[in-house]
Amino acid sequence: MDINNPLYKNQGIHVVCTLFTVKAGEVKVLLVQRSNKPYTGKWMLPSGAVYNNEDCETAIKREMLEKTGITGIYVEQFHTFSDPKRSPLMRMIAVGYIGIVNSENLKIKKKTEKTQDSEWFNLRDIPTDLAYDHREILLEAIETIKHKIMRSTIVESLLPKYFTLPELQKVYEAILGRQFDRRNFRKKFLGLNLIENTGLTQDVKGHRPANLYKFVTKNGYDIDIF
């Protein structure tokens, strides 16, 4: 390797996070609105450069804190985007991350030094003209999370510690875009021994109290669910 080769010059690394949550049964993704050039005023996924003194995992957590104010989220690297022309400023390789977070008591920054707004968007309402190649990254992330929730317990991070079976089913239906038979869904999850009845209940208006469950496996545990 010749470090003086001009083909090594003027390039960097970005980290980009597609952060998902579920609110009122709707799958949402967090976008921020740029306040600086290029793409001023355009919506984009939270992202930023990797500094020379940090790895990608450290960088994505720092960027999420700076751009959104969110900490302690589950993030997982899923793809690298390396089109030489993806940034108009310089060669910038993007390391894509999926993030998932429970929406309960979640607050986000609306404005930062480099962003003028932030908002949760329903997947069907995502602007078509996201900055950079972020629409491509988002679409890839959506397909990835669909696969992940069918093959792991990553969905745990979208739920409160204790949840009802209808709440769990609603999250799966929202992400996968399909409906499940209530009885079959219940039988499937209880049969896999991924969750357990806590003995606690939750009042449901007009119905008898619903049992509350919790996951008994670690977050992200790999298993064939569907």
Side-chain angles (χ1 to χ4, degrees):
M1 180 179 73
D2 179 7
I3 62 174
N4 295 314
N5 188 322
L7 292 178
Y8 282 127
K9 304 295 183 181
N10 197 36
Q11 57 182 320
I13 301 173
H14 260 167
V15 283
V16 183
C17 186
T18 306
L19 183 63
F20 295 98
T21 196
V22 174
K23 292 185 176 183
E26 292 277 2
V27 183
K28 297 178 181 286
V29 66
L30 182 63
L31 299 180
V32 296
Q33 190 175 36
R34 287 180 64 86
S35 59
N36 55 342
K37 296 181 180 180
Y39 301 111
T40 304
K42 293 290 186 181
W43 291 96
M44 62 184 289
L45 298 168
S47 60
V50 179
Y51 296 157
N52 285 335
N53 63 345
E54 61 186 5
D55 58 26
C56 289
E57 296 289 331
T58 302
I60 193 65
K61 292 175 182 178
R62 173 183 54 76
E63 284 293 334
M64 291 304 291
L65 175 60
E66 292 177 359
K67 298 288 197 317
T68 72
I70 300 175
T71 61
I73 62 174
Y74 177 90
V75 292
E76 181 177 322
Q77 189 178 139
F78 77 98
H79 194 70
T80 300
F81 300 85
S82 57
D83 186 331
K85 297 181 180 180
R86 61 171 303 275
S87 170
L89 299 178
M90 61 186 293
R91 171 69 187 278
M92 189 69 73
I93 293 173
V95 180
Y97 282 82
I98 282 176
I100 53 177
V101 66
N102 177 8
S103 65
E104 194 174 56
N105 301 319
L106 181 63
K107 295 181 180 180
I108 57 173
K109 289 182 179 179
K110 295 297 288 182
K111 187 176 182 180
T112 70
E113 182 181 347
K114 296 182 180 179
T115 62
Q116 54 186 303
D117 199 3
S118 62
E119 193 63 62
W120 290 104
F121 283 80
N122 292 336
L123 295 187
R124 63 178 178 274
D125 298 328
I126 299 294
T128 57
D129 58 342
L130 297 182
Y132 299 102
D133 56 351
H134 285 200
R135 185 166 182 82
E136 174 191 346
I137 295 174
L138 172 60
L139 293 176
E140 183 79 20
I142 291 171
E143 291 306 309
T144 300
I145 197 170
K146 286 181 178 181
H147 176 80
K148 291 292 294 183
I149 70 165
M150 293 190 293
R151 300 289 182 267
S152 77
T153 59
I154 195 173
V155 73
E156 180 183 354
S157 292
L158 288 168
L159 293 159
K161 182 177 181 181
Y162 304 127
F163 52 86
T164 66
L165 283 174
E167 287 173 336
L168 176 63
Q169 181 174 337
K170 202 170 185 179
V171 169
Y172 274 91
E173 290 178 339
I175 293 176
L176 296 176
R178 55 186 279 205
Q179 291 187 326
F180 295 95
D181 176 81
R182 181 177 61 83
R183 292 181 180 179
N184 289 340
F185 186 89
R186 176 188 179 90
K187 182 179 179 181
K188 163 68 77 173
F189 263 87
L190 294 180
L192 290 171
N193 297 316
L194 297 177
I195 60 176
E196 67 179 10
N197 193 329
T198 65
L200 304 173
T201 59
Q202 176 177 289
D203 290 335
V204 180
K205 188 176 181 180
H207 299 274
R208 65 181 183 181
N211 292 324
L212 288 171
Y213 293 80
K214 68 176 182 178
F215 277 92
V216 296
T217 58
K218 63 181 181 180
N219 188 18
Y221 177 77
D222 292 329
I223 187 171
D224 237 348
I225 298 176
F226 295 110

